[in-house]
Amino acid sequence: MSAACQHTPDALFEPQGTSQVFDADEKIIIRAIAQVLKDRGFGEAQIEADQKRLETDYVVEKDWRTKVVATIKKVGRKEREVTLLVITEQKDASPSGWKPKKLLGKEQYEKIFGEIEMQIYREWYKGN
């Protein structure tokens, strides 16, 4: 009877993003995120500037694949909220062939946001 009540987090896993607010223009933030992801090996991100969104292709390594989706939302006169979603999947026997896995925690997202913040400063230095 107790087995029927056991929680199975992997079966119900839905990837969630993490957000952080930056004091910068969307164009600068998009350029900074694209550069950080390129430096991390994700290649050129597809940028949808009109939707304030960018997405990488999957990077496949053995039985794993990972991609990143970033959205930017204006929350104040100069403030923009960036939401990052790192999607990691492992090969399995399901119909899609891939099963989502949560590998990144708060510390890893904070590290990426720190890299984005530093890149924002570099983009400001470069100018438009």
Side-chain angles (χ1 to χ4, degrees):
M1 190 92 175
S2 67
C5 296
Q6 286 182 343
H7 182 64
T8 55
D10 280 348
L12 304 173
F13 173 72
E14 188 67 34
Q16 277 186 301
T18 301
S19 300
Q20 184 166 320
V21 175
F22 295 100
D23 291 332
D25 181 70
E26 285 103 354
K27 292 176 187 175
I28 296 285
I29 293 172
I30 287 173
R31 287 197 320 241
I33 294 169
Q35 186 61 51
V36 167
L37 295 176
K38 186 176 181 180
D39 292 348
R40 284 179 156 254
F42 285 96
E44 296 292 332
Q46 293 83 37
I47 298 171
E48 300 169 21
D50 58 327
Q51 296 180 11
K52 298 174 180 77
R53 181 180 191 278
L54 60 86
E55 183 174 332
T56 66
D57 288 330
Y58 278 104
V59 174
V60 180
E61 192 171 311
K62 297 187 182 184
D63 290 345
W64 295 88
R65 69 180 187 176
T66 305
K67 78 174 189 175
V68 180
V69 177
T71 55
I72 298 118
K73 181 172 78 172
K74 186 175 183 175
V75 293
R77 192 170 143 252
K78 292 184 177 182
E79 296 175 319
R80 307 296 185 271
E81 180 182 64
V82 174
T83 301
L84 282 181
L85 174 59
V86 179
I87 301 167
T88 304
E89 299 174 335
Q90 185 178 25
K91 221 176 235 186
D92 75 350
S94 71
S96 73
W98 298 95
K99 181 177 182 179
K101 296 285 187 176
K102 182 178 180 179
L103 297 182
L104 266 61
K106 184 179 178 183
E107 295 88 23
Q108 289 88 0
Y109 274 105
E110 286 175 357
K111 183 175 181 187
I112 297 170
F113 280 126
E115 291 175 28
I116 291 169
E117 185 172 23
M118 290 305 300
Q119 189 61 39
I120 287 170
Y121 291 116
R122 290 186 197 104
E123 296 297 328
W124 276 334
Y125 181 75
K126 285 193 252 182
N128 293 330

